[in-house]
Amino acid sequence: MTKIALLQRSNLSEDQWHSMLISLLRGLAALIVAAAHLRAQVYPGFDTVQNPSLPFQGLAFAAGFAYLAVIVFFVLSGWLVGGSLLNRISTDGAIRNYTIDRVTRLWIVLIPTFGAILLFGLATAALDPSRLSFAPDNAYSATALLGNLVGLQNILVPEFGGNFPLWSLANETWYYVLFPLLVMLFRTRSTWRQVVILLAVAAIVQLLNSVILLYFSIWLLGAAFSRVRIECGPFLRWTLFLGLIGAAAAIRLKGKSDISVDSFVQYLLFSMVFVLFLSSMQVTWARTRANEWVNRVGRFFSEFSFTLYVLHIPLMAAMLHLAAPVLGNAKLDPHRPLHLLVYLLLYVGLVVGAFLFHLPFEARTYQVREWLKTTLRFRSGAVRV
């Protein structure tokens, strides 16, 4: 018998099937995005290839899920970030700790990546130091760098260094800001605080474009369903899983291949099936050897998925620059198996490079967070004394 339970706390336990799936999907989404952008860079467009080989068709088909992967990021971000805030909103310093968590999550990867972009740009001569300025439309300017740190890319400034995947971080940044404001709006009983919050929300709404605001509903969907558990049997779980796969395939084959107002409905329907499936998987997974292995793989790739997403474009540019004496500037031939091997080697290089880059930065996120929280707690205590 199927039962829908509303949870008092979002279930973030790591011994649950949905947590294992979340780790797997975070890693897989970043891998798909990197594969898609590398394919677009080194291979000709699929529509321009006559009689494409089967491996190239498979690569092109898999790479076509890149936008859907970003939607998966939005849903999972709402589930994890929104759910975590809801769990601790009643605790002392909840908003302060939330702010530290969000800023460290972004900046511990973005700041080193921006430094790498500048170094890569200088090393490859893509960046002319004499043309650096504070002009907002200069992708290498200090203004662009600061704007990208606070989510203003594609709003007031371009993506820093031409790193175009950063567009989605503008969405994430403002969702991180809007969600706690909405939570505080409904929790506070102070009229003047409600007015201040409403004014802040109104100012943000005026700043943001319609696409960012519209897709906030998908992020909120993830946050809302983090408090829902569907107790059901394997038949419904398999039905939801097959429905999710079917929805993804339908969008890939017949849907709109972008994230815009026109494509919102298809992604909303997909997200609905997605959160229903995750809610139905809130059950403990058996400690078998196979499950343990899958869990380790998922956690491994999820731990540097953000670095891979943010870094792969500048890293790709640097790798192709180094390989230019061998590969030249021509596109790879989709009919030649040897060229597919070249693509795979480049792709492995991207993934390995992102993993190594994450070790001194993203891998230290929790340590930096705890240091900041301890430091701020000590200072606030010192002030009271």
Side-chain angles (χ1 to χ4, degrees), residues 11-26:
N11 182 3
L12 303 176
S13 300
E14 295 184 357
D15 63 347
Q16 305 278 295
W17 267 107
H18 76 287
S19 293
M20 183 194 293
L21 291 170
I22 286 172
S23 292
L24 283 168
L25 290 171
R26 286 172 63 193

Side-chain angles (χ1 to χ4, degrees), residues 281-327:
M281 295 299 293
Q282 297 193 59
V283 292
T284 304
W285 50 273
R287 295 284 178 173
T288 65
R289 181 175 297 180
N291 288 345
E292 292 278 5
W293 182 83
V294 172
N295 186 50
R296 285 196 297 269
V297 169
R299 289 178 62 83
F300 173 78
F301 284 103
S302 68
E303 286 174 357
F304 68 99
S305 59
F306 185 41
T307 297
L308 177 59
Y309 184 83
V310 171
L311 183 69
H312 71 274
I313 292 298
L315 184 57
M316 183 193 312
M319 289 173 58
L320 292 176
H321 177 79
L322 292 174
V326 177
L327 300 179

Side-chain angles (χ1 to χ4, degrees), residues 187-195:
R187 285 179 55 85
T188 185
R189 296 181 180 180
S190 170
T191 302
W192 74 268
R193 287 182 179 177
Q194 290 176 336
V195 171

